[in-house]
């Protein structure tokens, strides 16, 4: 974060705190505690939290939830696809844990501007830990890279995971129970 | 869901966890090694494993025993990784330098195999370079070692179902069919909904499609457009024409997962207490609790999919954890987003027909099935269609607008 100005860094931390609040709501709902907010022009325009247990759909990660909120909003405004694409290119995502390979791919397809994350995701991370989908852009197919900055309030994100897994994921059957983070 | 009369000409190929290499051409990495005095072997290996375990080379034996001509034996030990450019200024960790000094070791650079051997044949070849250990796969997913006639017939039946779904749209799309192989029940089926126009055929689009074919047939290389296949072109959603309903991330596999989750919520309603109870009784598959049967009989009628069971017997319905034990059939190799979604949802086997050279994550661009760190691993198979069946499929797609047209350049699996 050395390249950020003080003011800018304070903003980043403030947005990450909002993402952590989302993660805490997930935690209280017995979900793997990951949360995020999406910011455009300095304003939070969407937020999301992990809802995989509630939906029984393991793809309903915080990022996917927040993206769907935006798409619904923009479709109600009758924005065209080109306009929606333009909007995503102005969006920054703040998420408590590095996006997994699925979400990192989705963010690349949408053409998001940048991502700030809390802790790294050594098992599934798609922004540098396992794959680097944020830089792997297939340019002839219209892919764009996005900037990715990790380690923002990582301790807070990790301690939420630790608390969660100490309780045990109530919905995972025993063989799948992981002592490590599973965002 | 008819039987496949031409089943013999279909071929199912397992796509392994690592890129295929001939047994005698295994990729290698360089390591620093040294000949050691056998009486120091135990101490040295213990110390080396403590200070520098070979994390990504667990299949490589740390020590090599060689029989020399005079009948004596020689022990060599791997110290650490070396660079690939044979430069002498490689970084050797300080602790290792300490060992080299205190035991007065003469180091040399040698090669070891990068990947664990997948077969006994590979293992034999690898050991000629430096000994490795071979563990036959601990997971036992049926199909990896081959399919019976009956199994391959089912695979081809379900793949045809996916192909028919993909062709049912006015534009070529990807399609997904999730199947429970223990009952051969179709759990969910879906097409891409990235540019979904509500087919049956939209004449506007059909006309465009025809025009496109006409235009392209004027050029040197006429070919069908696969732009509408979401996993092939996941970045291009904003350039595609479509009707009101669209969503950049609703690829076929994602929609099928969503449908299977909806089915699960429908079949097994209730909160977490219910779930805990069902989880608890799950091992007693042969004697389901009365409560569970009641839940099932209430909801079965809502699900027409349950009628597609082919084996006639009433399977015991127990609530699965996500898609544990299920297979998915996809027309095209999935992109990274879809392939990871299928890891998250705990799919057991993936079958796809065409590779995806721009964005495929199961062998073409990435190889998720070989990412050891993931908490779940599925087996991946490519279903090679007989050329004839493929051509028939393309023809029927092209002729949708009442103008049967034979594309002069048939695409085939290898060139897609």
């Amino acid at each position: 974060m050395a390249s950020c100005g003080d003011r800018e860094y304070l903003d980043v931390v403030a947005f990450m705190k909002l993402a952590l609040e989302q993660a805490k709501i997930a935690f209280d709902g017995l979900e793997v505690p990951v949360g995020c907010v999406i910011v455009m022009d300095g304003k939070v325009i969407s937020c999301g939290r992990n809802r995989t247990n509630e939906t029984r759909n393991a793809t309903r990660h915080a990022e996917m939830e927040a993206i769907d909120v935006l798409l619904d909003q923009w479709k109600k405004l009758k924005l065209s696809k080109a306009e929606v694409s333009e909007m995503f290119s102005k969006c920054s995502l703040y998420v408590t844990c590095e996006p997994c390979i699925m979400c990192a791919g989705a963010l690349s397809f949408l053409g998001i501007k940048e991502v700030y994350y809390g802790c790294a995701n050594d098992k599934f991370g798609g922004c540098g830990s396992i794959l680097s989908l944020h830089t792997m852009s297939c340019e002839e197919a219209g892919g764009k890279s996005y900037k990715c900055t990790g380690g923002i309030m990582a301790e807070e994100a990790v301690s939420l995971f630790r608390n969660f897994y100490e309780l045990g994921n109530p919905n995972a059957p025993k063989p799948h129970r992981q002592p490590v983070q599973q965002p | 869901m008819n039987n496949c009369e031409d089943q013999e000409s279909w071929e199912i190929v397992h796509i392994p966890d690592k890129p295929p290499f001939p047994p005698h051409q295994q990729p290698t990495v360089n390591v620093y090694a040294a000949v050691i005095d056998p009486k120091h072997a135990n101490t040295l290996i213990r110390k080396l494993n403590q200070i520098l375990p070979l994390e990504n080379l667990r299949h490589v034996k740390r020590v090599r025993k060689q029989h020399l001509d005079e009948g004596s034996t020689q022990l060599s030990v791997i110290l650490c990784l070396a660079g690939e450019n044979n430069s002498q200024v490689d970084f050797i960790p300080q602790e290792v330098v300490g060992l080299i000094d205190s035991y007065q070791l003469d180091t040399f650079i040698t090669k070891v195999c990068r990947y664990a051997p997948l077969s006994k044949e590979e293992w034999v070849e690898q050991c000629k370079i430096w000994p490795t250990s071979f563990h036959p796969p601990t997971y036992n997913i049926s199909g990896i070692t081959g399919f019976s006639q009956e199994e391959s017939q089912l695979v081809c039946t379900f793949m045809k179902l996916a192909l028919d779904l993909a062709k049912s749209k006015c534009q070529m799309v990807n399609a997904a069919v999730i199947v429970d192989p223990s009952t051969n029940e179709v759990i969910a089926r879906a097409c891409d909904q990235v540019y979904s126009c509500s087919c049956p055929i939209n004449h506007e689009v059909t006309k465009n499609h025809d025009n496109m074919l006409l235009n392209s047939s004027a050029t040197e290389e006429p070919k069908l457009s696969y732009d509408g296949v979401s996993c092939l072109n996941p970045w291009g959603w904003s350039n595609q024409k479509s009707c009101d309903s669209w969503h950049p991330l609703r690829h076929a596999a994602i929609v099928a997962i969503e449908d299977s989750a909806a089915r699960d919520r429908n079949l097994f309603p209730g909160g977490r207490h219910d779930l805990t109870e069902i989880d608890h009784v799950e091992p007693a598959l042969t004697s389901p609790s009365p409560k569970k049967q009641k839940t099932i009989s209430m909801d079965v009628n809502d699900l027409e999919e349950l009628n597609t069971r082919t084996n006639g017997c009433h399977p015991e319905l127990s609530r699965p954890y996500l898609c544990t034990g299920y297979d998915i059939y996809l027309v095209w190799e999935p992109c990274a987003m879809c392939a990871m979604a299928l890891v998250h949802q705990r799919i057991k086997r993936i079958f796809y027909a065409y590779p995806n050279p721009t964005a495929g994550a199961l062998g073409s661009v990435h190889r998720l099935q070989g990412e050891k760190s993931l908490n779940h691993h599925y087996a991946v198979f490519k279903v090679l269609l007989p050329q004839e069946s493929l051509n028939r499929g393309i023809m029927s797609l092209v002729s949708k607008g009442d103008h049967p047209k034979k594309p002069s350049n048939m695409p085939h699996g290898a060139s897609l």
Side-chain angles (χ1 to χ4, degrees), chain B residues 64-321:
Chain B
R64 177 179 65 178
K65 187 178 187 180
Q66 280 177 307
H67 297 280
L68 301 177
D69 291 339
E70 327 77 89
S72 60
T73 58
Q74 186 184 61
L75 289 187
S76 314
V77 63
I78 296 175
L79 300 169
C80 60
L81 281 173
E84 291 305 302
N85 49 8
N86 290 329
S87 72
Q88 292 303 307
V89 289
D90 274 327
F91 175 73
I92 299 183
Q94 200 50 51
E95 296 100 323
V96 177
V97 174
L99 285 181
I100 293 172
D101 290 346
S102 54
Y103 289 89
Q104 295 182 316
L105 301 175
D106 275 333
T107 65
F108 61 93
I109 291 180
T110 186
K111 290 183 186 305
V112 301
C113 283
R114 181 189 294 270
Y115 301 110
L118 292 183
S119 64
K120 209 172 167 192
E121 199 187 1
E122 283 188 6
W123 174 63
V124 169
E125 289 298 326
Q126 288 195 351
C127 289
K128 292 177 185 168
I129 301 170
W130 185 281
T132 58
S133 47
F134 171 51
H135 303 287
T138 47
Y139 57 97
N140 183 21
I141 297 180
S142 63
I144 291 179
T145 50
F147 290 86
S148 72
Q149 171 103 7
E150 190 191 4
E151 286 165 337
S152 14
Q153 198 142 3
L154 282 164
V155 167
C156 114
T157 301
F158 289 122
M159 186 53 85
K160 276 190 170 175
L161 184 56
L163 285 162
D164 287 346
L165 272 175
K167 292 183 309 203
S168 70
K169 299 284 167 176
C170 38
Q171 189 181 19
M172 187 81 91
V173 295
N174 203 356
V177 178
I178 296 178
V179 175
D180 178 351
S182 67
T183 59
N184 296 318
E185 178 188 345
V186 173
I187 301 294
R189 58 179 101 188
C191 287
D192 285 338
Q193 291 180 2
V194 173
Y195 329 108
S196 69
C197 41
S198 46
C199 290
I201 302 157
N202 175 327
H203 287 288
E204 188 71 21
V205 180
T206 312
K207 212 166 75 191
N208 287 342
H209 193 74
D210 280 355
N211 284 343
M212 184 182 70
L213 285 169
L214 284 173
N215 290 342
S216 62
S217 64
T219 66
E220 280 299 305
E221 273 195 314
K223 58 176 186 184
L224 281 168
S225 166
Y226 298 105
D227 287 352
V229 179
S230 59
C231 284
L232 283 181
N233 186 23
W235 296 277
W237 57 275
S238 64
N239 305 321
Q240 290 281 309
K241 284 207 179 81
S242 71
C243 315
D244 286 346
S245 160
W246 56 272
H247 187 300
L249 305 178
R250 288 184 69 82
H251 295 198
I254 301 283
V255 181
I257 286 173
E258 191 171 296
D259 291 353
S260 75
R263 173 188 178 276
D264 184 55
R265 296 192 303 266
N266 196 8
L267 268 181
F268 305 99
R272 296 190 175 82
H273 298 297
D274 250 325
L275 171 60
T276 317
E277 192 182 320
I278 287 173
D279 273 347
H280 184 67
V281 299
E282 217 169 26
L285 281 180
T286 46
S287 55
S289 69
K291 190 186 172 211
K292 211 163 75 179
Q293 272 183 330
K294 196 177 155 198
T295 318
I296 294 154
S297 59
M298 280 191 326
D299 291 297
V300 150
N301 293 337
D302 298 337
L303 281 138
E304 57 160 13
E305 298 295 347
L306 287 177
N307 297 325
T308 61
R309 253 180 249 126
T310 53
N311 57 1
C313 71
H314 197 87
E316 301 296 351
L317 283 179
S318 64
R319 181 173 163 191
Y321 179 64

Side-chain angles (χ1 to χ4, degrees), chain A residues 29-31 52-61 64 67-68 71-72 75 79-82 84-86 88 100-103 105-111 122-125 130-133 136-138 140-144 169-173 176-178 182-183, chain B residues 194-195 232-242 244-249 251 254 257-258 260-262 264-272 275-276 279 282 319 321-322 324 335-338 340-346 358-359 365-366 368 371 373-376:
Chain A
L30 304 179
E31 297 279 358
T52 50
N53 287 336
E54 177 193 339
T55 57
R56 304 184 202 174
N57 179 341
T59 71
R60 297 316 297 171
H61 288 188
M64 295 302 211
I67 288 164
D68 278 353
L71 282 167
D72 280 350
K75 273 191 217 166
L79 297 193
S80 71
K81 283 205 277 195
V84 166
S85 171
E86 172 75 17
F88 275 122
C100 76
I101 289 166
M102 172 186 74
C103 293
L107 293 164
S108 156
F109 302 161
L110 297 176
D122 314 336
K123 301 249 160 196
F124 315 127
I130 306 298
L131 295 185
S132 292
L133 298 172
M136 211 286 320
S137 61
C138 187
E140 60 271 33
K144 271 180 291 183
N169 183 350
N171 279 0
H176 292 279
R177 201 171 278 179
Q178 297 273 314
Q182 185 212 328
Chain B
V194 173
Y195 329 108
L232 283 181
N233 186 23
W235 296 277
W237 57 275
S238 64
N239 305 321
Q240 290 281 309
K241 284 207 179 81
S242 71
D244 286 346
S245 160
W246 56 272
H247 187 300
L249 305 178
H251 295 198
I254 301 283
I257 286 173
E258 191 171 296
S260 75
D264 184 55
R265 296 192 303 266
N266 196 8
L267 268 181
F268 305 99
R272 296 190 175 82
L275 171 60
T276 317
D279 273 347
E282 217 169 26
R319 181 173 163 191
Y321 179 64
L322 305 171
T324 300
C335 65
M337 176 182 74
C338 292
M340 191 62 203
L342 295 168
V343 172
H344 287 316
Q345 203 69 9
R346 304 290 204 277
T358 48
V365 179
H366 306 289
L368 281 200
E371 293 294 345
S373 70
L374 305 182
N375 65 342
H376 171 75

Side-chain angles (χ1 to χ4, degrees), chain A residues 64-150:
Chain A
M64 295 302 211
E65 292 283 321
I67 288 164
D68 278 353
V69 168
L70 280 186
L71 282 167
D72 280 350
Q73 279 177 22
W74 291 339
K75 273 191 217 166
K76 280 193 188 121
L77 296 172
K78 306 268 183 221
L79 297 193
S80 71
K81 283 205 277 195
E83 287 164 330
V84 166
S85 171
E86 172 75 17
M87 295 288 257
F88 275 122
S89 73
K90 295 177 187 164
C91 286
S92 306
L93 171 78
Y94 295 77
V95 58
T96 54
C97 178
E98 178 188 351
C100 76
I101 289 166
M102 172 186 74
C103 293
L107 293 164
S108 156
F109 302 161
L110 297 176
I112 199 152
K113 183 180 157 204
E114 59 186 343
V115 170
Y116 295 92
Y117 65 80
C119 58
N121 183 340
D122 314 336
K123 301 249 160 196
F124 315 127
C127 292
S129 290
I130 306 298
L131 295 185
S132 292
L133 298 172
H134 62 305
T135 55
M136 211 286 320
S137 61
C138 187
E139 274 174 25
E140 60 271 33
K144 271 180 291 183
S145 300
Y146 52 90
K147 196 182 116 197
C148 220
T149 312

